[in-house]
Amino acid sequence: MNDEINNILIIGSGNISWHLEKNFKKKNIIVSVIGARKFLESNSDKYKQEFKNKDLIIIAVIDSEISNISRIIYDEKLLGENKILVHTSGSMGIEIIKNKGENYGVFYPLQTFTKNKEIDFTKVPICIEANNLKTLNELNKIGKLLSDNIYEIDSSQRKQIHISAVFACNFVNHLIGISKQELNKKNIPFEILFPLIDETISKAKESNPFKSQTGPAIRGDIKTMESHIQDLENDERDIYKLLSQKIINKNKEL
Amino acid sequence: MNDEINNILIIGSGNISWHLEKNFKKKNIIVSVIGARKFLESNSDKYKQEFKNKDLIIIAVIDSEISNISRIIYDEKLLGENKILVHTSGSMGIEIIKNKGENYGVFYPLQTFTKNKEIDFTKVPICIEANNLKTLNELNKIGKLLSDNIYEIDSSQRKQIHISAVFACNFVNHLIGISKQELNKKNIPFEILFPLIDETISKAKESNPFKSQTGPAIRGDIKTMESHIQDLENDERDIYKLLSQKIINKNKEL
């Protein structure tokens, strides 16, 4: 095994791929990228050319294609001897790319990525897992080139992180979308909420958010809640009712 | 009317009162505070002493007590000639402290306040409203002493801001609480989510959050959603299902 990873192939050309390519190149790693569709349409000779001299193959495609692509890689014997195959998915286990005698793992950068919007990658937590210690060490080393925050995380933990991230990222984003939409209705600038949002996040990070909860639900202020519910439209009303109830439930548990 | 507000009485001793007192004092304004209960138990003579020479009376109590307290102030003729009475509530209209011939208004600092946790008050948006232009100007002037962000906001807008704030603050806080709770179950440090949370907020501020949404719901990734739902307990499962559905609905509207 050549202990240095110098030459990476990324399969997939989505958001994660875009950011990995950019940041590996900054560290003078040779990176090539092949789109998932193009990969699936390649023939054996084309494949072999793409994979030649690659130390690490990163499958960065939608979850449903990972298994298929790793199968082709193994069947066509594309992975060089002692080289490493990883996927980047938060929700898929390591076993989805399992293969006897090979080095494989997961290299999951925990961030919401947008193409063409650069971020400070040194802050991005990278969750790594591997089927043997040597591979884990390699992933740790290449991860540290990009980020200061490498976590060894098993598949069951990674799935839990992904669930948590849906709440803290996708759902939070939807709620902030609603807050902007409601302000727009009365021509109030969105910026008026920014200090509140910043302080909410800062407090939530520092403490147990359930214990530092504020607002009408936790105060049991039914009059205010009813008045808000009346003003909202269907979709937002459903959310308001459910989350207020859940805040009340949680408070009883504490 | 004495154009300078130099001497303030705050009725109520909660979170808002604590922060207003502290920050007015920093600006060399004389501030005294009387708790709501103590105020309600006072007699006429005691009242008159408390209100003597006050330029501005701030009612910072729970919504349900505002009307009652302002009624006592008017009935007992406690407000000096040409002096100003305001409340600090996001959800109550200005009319709740209306009285013929008096100067009254609203002075609503839009922030989630915690006692004993100081914040940079110059960033706190203060929403002001008044029954006449002169009072509005006074509130603007005293507001600018504390904050760089003074907004003239009518009662209907203020109510809308308060609704938006419930989504962007109380509900967001609950979701982040869930994300922490889920991580705890598998001994994963909460800090692993901080860069994701920060980037989520930064993106949501810069764009239309509905349009930059990511995650399983907007991808229509039913397999991942079902697998997450199976892993969650009742309360969190309800939230996961509802918010995923709402993300899908909103995406259809766009």
Side-chain angles (χ1 to χ4, degrees), chain B residues 10-24 31-35 58 60-61 88 113 115:
Chain B
I10 304 176
I11 302 171
S13 51
N15 291 327
I16 292 185
S17 170
W18 190 88
H19 284 271
L20 286 180
E21 181 191 9
K22 202 159 189 80
N23 284 284
F24 276 126
V31 186
S32 46
V33 174
I34 176 169
I58 300 178
V61 303
T88 58
F113 293 109
K115 259 188 209 181

Side-chain angles (χ1 to χ4, degrees), chain B residues 24-89:
Chain B
F24 276 126
K25 281 185 173 166
K26 278 186 195 158
K27 298 296 172 176
N28 299 315
I29 302 282
I30 302 162
V31 186
S32 46
V33 174
I34 176 169
R37 179 170 304 189
K38 203 174 154 214
F39 173 82
L40 290 169
E41 288 165 354
S42 297
N43 61 35
S44 260
D45 287 347
K46 186 85 187 1
Y47 283 145
K48 282 180 181 147
Q49 202 180 315
E50 293 278 1
F51 279 73
K52 209 177 157 193
N53 300 323
K54 302 300 178 194
D55 304 313
L56 173 66
I57 313 296
I58 300 178
I59 305 178
V61 303
I62 54 167
D63 288 353
S64 55
E65 288 291 355
I66 297 172
S67 166
N68 187 24
I69 287 173
S70 74
R71 184 52 38 214
I72 293 171
I73 291 170
Y74 292 134
D75 286 351
E76 301 271 346
K77 299 189 197 316
L78 300 175
L79 197 64
E81 203 178 346
N82 289 325
K83 305 305 188 186
I84 300 172
L85 179 70
V86 296
H87 73 67
T88 58
S89 164

